Amino acid sequence: MSNIKRKKIVIAGGGTSGWLAAAALSKQLSSICEVVLVESDDIGTIGVGEATIPTVRVFHKLLGISEKEFVRETDATFKLGINFENWRVKDESYFHSFGKTGKDSYLAGFQHFWLYGREQGLAQLYGDYCFEFQCAAHDKFATSDKSKINYAYHLDAGKYARYLRKLSEQNKAKRIEGKIDSVNLDSASGNITSLTLESGETVEGDLFIDCTGFRALLIEETLKTGYEDWSHWLPCDRAWAVQTTLADKLPPYTRSIAHENGWQWRIPLQKRAGNGLVFSTKFMDEDTAKEKLMRSVEGEMTTEPRLIKFVTGRRKKVWNKNCVALGLSSGFIEPLESTSIHLFMTGIIRLLRLLPSNDISLANVNEYNQQTAAEIERVRDFIILHYHVNERDDSEFWRYLRKMDIPDSLQHRIDLFAQSANVFESEYDVFQIDSWVQVLLGQGVMPQHYHPSVKTMPVAELERFLTSYKQGVAAAVNKMPRHRDFVSQYS
Ligand SMILES: Cc1cc2nc3c(=O)[nH]c(=O)nc-3n(C[C@H](O)[C@H](O)[C@H](O)COP(=O)(O)OP(=O)(O)OC[C@H]3O[C@@H](n4cnc5c(N)ncnc54)[C@H](O)[C@@H]3O)c2cc1C
């Protein structure tokens, strides 16, 4: 008989992050750990978080999720990227697709060939060479086991949490309903020993995961871990969110529409749309922002607009003592590139890999904190890029963003692309070269030079390559069904 004591992992909070953690930990560790989740129906969840990036599909594989079941249960639609409208200047847009654009050589990425082609008057729009972008532009989508199309989902956050709860409970995770009244510490080690609920019930554990959202009840209110504030780079600090009926179209992409003091999202689900207006109270008051959102939504509003307050930044240590912060309690970057759910998922995978065997090892904790910080800082840089490189002159908000100092790490990426069309991918980068190229070009960074090797390709051959690639993409898109038709028969 094994004499290994089963560890007890207690998850505080049952929003997207809490149930994602419960689903993954119960699936992977149920033979060695007991997983308990405490949540309060009275407090509820934040109820936003409806757009994802393609890595969500990898995480779903880990959970053994059937895509059809997921699409049915969460009202999901498919997402091929984001259409950025009015970002560089008003009345222009560009698309950040999840697909691969063109074809690289060993020495040079496709952007170098495209720049050479453009110089020769041969290359068309950058997005013409990307299958996913062209599918999005024509409202087309299909997938199958054999398909290589790269995509993510739009989903209903409430239904997603309920679906994940069902999966977790199938794997013997236990849910306790109740409001956490106090968090109890060991006086010698400072570790959390238990949570006391308003009912008087005490929930003891070995490891605690703080998924209590912006409240950060364990990691901050109790352990006073500290927060690194990034609002000087990302000054938006509020969002009004509202649900509406669906407009006529069901585009397979998120819309991100910049306005004078922030931006607005539109997320199409199967039966409704999610909308929100993100803004900075340094530049726009709450009432004006609410009115602006109500004036500009498409379809009928089916909920009252809800105000969400936030401060962009990261928890100084996401793992402190025997507490790991996941979800909004670990830090927040506005949903411009739909990165939060991805960060919850990588946080969970990292925890699974660095799970303590007996006592918590400081080296494990440091490794976890270092990796998490590196990852979120790279996301931060990518988001700042959208704001900083702009040519809008219609408000103080955009002028401030253009003039502000940015992190050296981002300045280097912009300089590198501007001077040589080069982009690199480093460890912990969430966004790959294709993403950086699309956003850099879309925001208006046009490289001065490209890789010398591309000029060894004769112009006639370059023309054949660009033309046949574009025609191949167009022909493949032609065969695809409409997104709406695919969704309705898929689930
Ligand atoms: C405006 C906005 C838009 C977003 N859009 C996206 C997006 O498009 N894509 C994306 O990936 N992410 C997005 N996010 C981020 C994120 O995905 C969501 O916010 C996420 O769904 C919520 O994360 P959570 O589980 O950490 O917190 P919450 O949903 O706030 O859940 C907190 C949980 O803790 C519980 N709780 C709190 N206090 C107590 C207590 N005392 N006792 C018991 N239980 C307690 C609550 O009941 C709840 O169950 C967005 C965030 C915001 C603010």
Side-chain angles (χ1 to χ4, degrees):
M1 222 175 81
S2 162
N3 59 2
I4 299 174
K5 183 179 167 275
R6 264 165 69 88
K7 296 263 174 212
K8 184 166 170 188
I9 302 180
V10 177
I11 301 165
T16 308
S17 63
W19 283 115
L20 274 172
L25 298 181
S26 61
K27 170 92 180 165
Q28 300 294 324
L29 305 174
S30 61
S31 56
I32 52 169
C33 290
E34 188 185 344
V35 177
V36 174
L37 183 145
V38 183
E39 69 174 325
S40 158
D41 282 341
D42 285 351
I43 295 177
T45 63
I46 198 163
V48 281
E50 306 200 311
T52 59
I53 59 173
T55 47
V56 65
R57 286 164 42 226
V58 180
F59 196 82
H60 282 184
K61 282 213 174 95
L62 176 88
L63 297 184
I65 284 179
S66 135
E67 186 175 71
K68 285 190 176 180
E69 183 184 84
F70 157 79
V71 167
R72 190 171 56 243
E73 298 243 355
T74 65
D75 203 7
T77 61
F78 296 89
K79 173 180 171 189
L80 292 166
I82 304 175
N83 200 43
F84 286 97
E85 302 166 32
N86 304 335
W87 276 84
R88 182 179 70 83
V89 287
K90 274 163 105 175
D91 303 321
E92 267 189 25
S93 66
Y94 71 91
F95 199 80
H96 170 196
S97 95
F98 296 142
K100 172 102 199 78
T101 306
K103 211 168 150 189
D104 305 330
S105 75
Y106 182 66
L107 295 180
F110 176 73
Q111 73 271 20
H112 298 274
F113 291 91
W114 180 76
L115 288 164
Y116 176 33
R118 203 169 163 269
E119 198 178 77
Q120 300 297 320
L122 301 171
Q124 312 287 313
L125 296 174
Y126 195 67
D128 286 357
Y129 306 92
C130 176
F131 174 63
E132 282 79 354
F133 173 55
Q134 288 305 313
C135 281
H138 293 89
D139 278 355
K140 301 280 192 92
F141 184 83
T143 185
S144 68
D145 288 347
K146 291 191 196 115
S147 163
K148 292 206 172 85
I149 191 166
N150 201 19
Y151 62 93
Y153 310 108
H154 297 127
L155 52 86
D156 180 305
K159 290 184 178 173
Y160 190 45
R162 285 194 287 282
Y163 177 57
L164 293 166
R165 175 179 165 186
K166 189 171 86 178
L167 298 181
S168 308
E169 288 178 338
Q170 279 165 5
N171 288 321
K172 310 221 168 8
K174 185 177 160 201
R175 173 185 185 270
I176 299 174
E177 163 63 34
K179 192 167 169 201
I180 301 161
D181 189 42
S182 57
V183 179
N184 309 306
L185 301 181
D186 177 77
S187 54
S189 65
N191 281 343
I192 298 174
T193 52
S194 61
L195 309 176
T196 303
L197 311 189
E198 266 185 357
S199 62
E201 185 181 356
T202 297
V203 184
E204 291 180 343
D206 299 298
L207 185 68
F208 290 80
I209 306 188
D210 187 344
C211 296
T212 59
F214 287 133
R215 286 177 194 84
L217 206 59
L218 282 60
I219 197 82
E220 196 57 56
E221 270 191 35
T222 308
L223 295 176
K224 314 274 182 249
T225 304
Y227 195 73
E228 194 176 297
D229 183 336
W230 290 338
S231 50
H232 51 295
W233 287 315
L234 294 166
C236 287
D237 57 358
R238 298 281 190 283
W240 281 106
V242 73
Q243 295 177 7
T244 59
T245 55
L246 268 186
D248 290 347
K249 283 171 81 182
L250 192 71
Y253 55 86
T254 306
R255 286 180 68 192
S256 163
I257 308 155
H259 62 80
E260 312 86 75
N261 296 299
W263 63 282
Q264 195 174 342
W265 77 78
R266 286 199 191 142
I267 296 176
L269 304 180
Q270 286 178 35
K271 299 184 192 86
R272 65 163 177 85
N275 304 267
L277 189 118
V278 177
F279 62 104
S280 164
T281 47
K282 283 205 187 92
F283 300 90
M284 188 180 220
D285 65 66
E286 291 172 358
D287 291 342
T288 311
K290 184 179 178 184
E291 240 175 69
K292 190 172 179 60
L293 174 69
M294 289 167 72
R295 259 190 287 116
S296 57
V297 289
E298 288 174 347
E300 299 291 313
M301 287 196 295
T302 53
T303 57
E304 275 300 305
R306 210 158 45 86
L307 185 67
I308 302 162
K309 300 180 181 180
F310 56 83
V311 179
T312 300
R314 71 172 181 93
R315 196 71 51 205
K316 285 186 178 156
K317 287 194 269 178
V318 282
W319 188 334
N320 188 7
K321 304 284 181 186
N322 62 339
C323 173
V324 179
L326 269 179
L328 299 177
S329 65
S330 67
F332 183 64
I333 295 182
E334 61 187 84
L336 187 57
E337 286 281 359
S338 327
T339 39
S340 291
I341 294 175
H342 165 85
L343 293 172
F344 305 171
M345 290 174 171
T346 51
I348 293 165
I349 291 171
R350 195 168 290 133
L351 177 61
L352 283 168
R353 293 201 173 133
L354 293 170
L355 195 77
S357 56
N358 208 351
D359 290 335
I360 289 171
S361 120
L362 192 59
N364 251 11
V365 172
N366 290 342
E367 183 63 28
Y368 188 93
N369 286 331
Q370 211 177 305
Q371 289 186 14
T372 310
E375 183 180 51
I376 195 169
E377 281 169 13
R378 282 162 180 74
V379 173
R380 174 202 66 194
D381 283 4
F382 191 55
I383 303 302
I384 298 174
L385 168 67
H386 297 63
Y387 281 111
H388 176 64
V389 184
N390 81 75
E391 293 165 33
R392 288 187 61 143
D393 210 17
D394 54 319
S395 70
E396 200 41 51
F397 175 78
W398 291 104
R399 283 191 286 274
Y400 165 78
L401 289 160
R402 192 163 54 242
K403 285 187 198 133
M404 72 183 175
D405 286 334
I406 57 172
D408 292 344
S409 44
L410 174 59
Q411 189 62 58
H412 171 63
R413 288 202 195 239
I414 296 172
D415 292 345
L416 186 68
F417 189 71
Q419 289 164 25
S420 63
N422 283 321
V423 179
F424 63 92
E425 217 172 284
S426 63
E427 214 185 350
Y428 308 117
D429 260 334
V430 174
F431 292 99
Q432 311 203 333
I433 289 176
D434 271 282
S435 294
W436 280 92
V437 172
Q438 290 175 84
V439 176
L440 283 158
L441 286 174
Q443 292 293 144
V445 184
M446 193 47 76
Q448 290 155 8
H449 303 286
Y450 50 82
H451 198 279
S453 69
V454 301
K455 282 206 160 166
T456 59
M457 188 182 231
V459 171
E461 195 183 325
L462 177 71
E463 186 171 15
R464 269 198 304 280
F465 163 58
L466 291 171
T467 308
S468 72
Y469 201 95
K470 184 179 160 180
Q471 285 171 348
V473 166
V477 171
N478 228 355
K479 291 188 199 139
M480 300 283 276
R482 299 202 84 74
H483 177 226
R484 188 188 283 283
D485 296 339
F486 183 78
V487 171
S488 56
Q489 61 76 42
Y490 192 66
S491 56

